[in-house]
Amino acid sequence: MISKSLFGNRLKEQRKKLGLTQAQAAEKAGIERETWGKYERGVFMPSGDVLISFLSIGINVSDLFTIKDTFRQPETALSLEEQELLDNYRQASDNGKFVISSVARTAEKKEIETHKVA
């Protein structure tokens, strides 16, 4: 089961994707704006009837409760540059992977040292 706060965050994201304010979404769902706000803040969880009304305004209710991607961001969250780097790493030989990792670690160390000096 997901937490109320995670549910609320997901509800808020979906409402914003629909381009609705809390007041507009609440009106379409047939509930008070204050109640909608409490759902988004994780104070309350909606009843089954309210969840059905969410469906009617275009909210994907199953996404509100799905546990997948809770602990790991999907690869689509990577920028094109990051995806290219990951693809190159995955296709590299063991020696190539060692070189890529070494360069990344060295760059990180130099970045930390630069910030310490400044």
Side-chain angles (χ1 to χ4, degrees), residues 30-84:
I31 60 174
E32 297 290 323
R33 199 234 28 102
E34 292 81 12
T35 303
W36 187 283
K38 288 178 181 178
Y39 294 150
E40 286 191 7
R41 289 191 310 277
V43 176
F44 293 136
M45 290 291 279
S47 67
D49 291 344
V50 174
L51 291 173
I52 290 170
S53 71
F54 287 179
L55 289 170
S56 69
I57 64 173
I59 294 198
N60 186 332
V61 174
S62 65
D63 281 354
L64 298 176
F65 292 99
T66 303
I67 294 180
K68 69 177 172 112
D69 298 330
T70 299
F71 303 105
R72 182 176 96 77
Q73 287 189 340
E75 285 188 2
T76 56
L78 298 176
S79 69
L80 292 176
E81 187 175 286
E82 291 168 328
Q83 186 63 52
E84 182 181 4

Side-chain angles (χ1 to χ4, degrees), residues 3-115:
S3 69
K4 289 179 187 176
S5 63
L6 179 57
F7 174 90
N9 289 336
R10 289 178 175 177
L11 179 62
K12 183 177 182 178
E13 288 173 9
Q14 287 206 31
R15 173 183 56 80
K16 287 185 172 189
K17 284 180 185 176
L18 293 171
L20 300 173
T21 64
Q22 283 186 349
Q24 291 168 330
E27 182 180 343
K28 288 178 180 261
I31 60 174
E32 297 290 323
R33 199 234 28 102
E34 292 81 12
T35 303
W36 187 283
K38 288 178 181 178
Y39 294 150
E40 286 191 7
R41 289 191 310 277
V43 176
F44 293 136
M45 290 291 279
S47 67
D49 291 344
V50 174
L51 291 173
I52 290 170
S53 71
F54 287 179
L55 289 170
S56 69
I57 64 173
I59 294 198
N60 186 332
V61 174
S62 65
D63 281 354
L64 298 176
F65 292 99
T66 303
I67 294 180
K68 69 177 172 112
D69 298 330
T70 299
F71 303 105
R72 182 176 96 77
Q73 287 189 340
E75 285 188 2
T76 56
L78 298 176
S79 69
L80 292 176
E81 187 175 286
E82 291 168 328
Q83 186 63 52
E84 182 181 4
L85 178 60
L86 181 59
D87 291 342
N88 288 337
Y89 179 85
R90 287 179 174 166
Q91 294 172 10
S93 65
D94 288 342
N95 189 42
K97 288 178 182 177
F98 175 79
V99 170
I100 293 168
S101 296
S102 297
V103 169
R105 281 190 216 102
T106 302
E108 179 65 22
K109 287 178 187 175
K110 287 184 179 181
E111 182 70 23
I112 290 170
E113 289 172 7
T114 302
H115 286 294

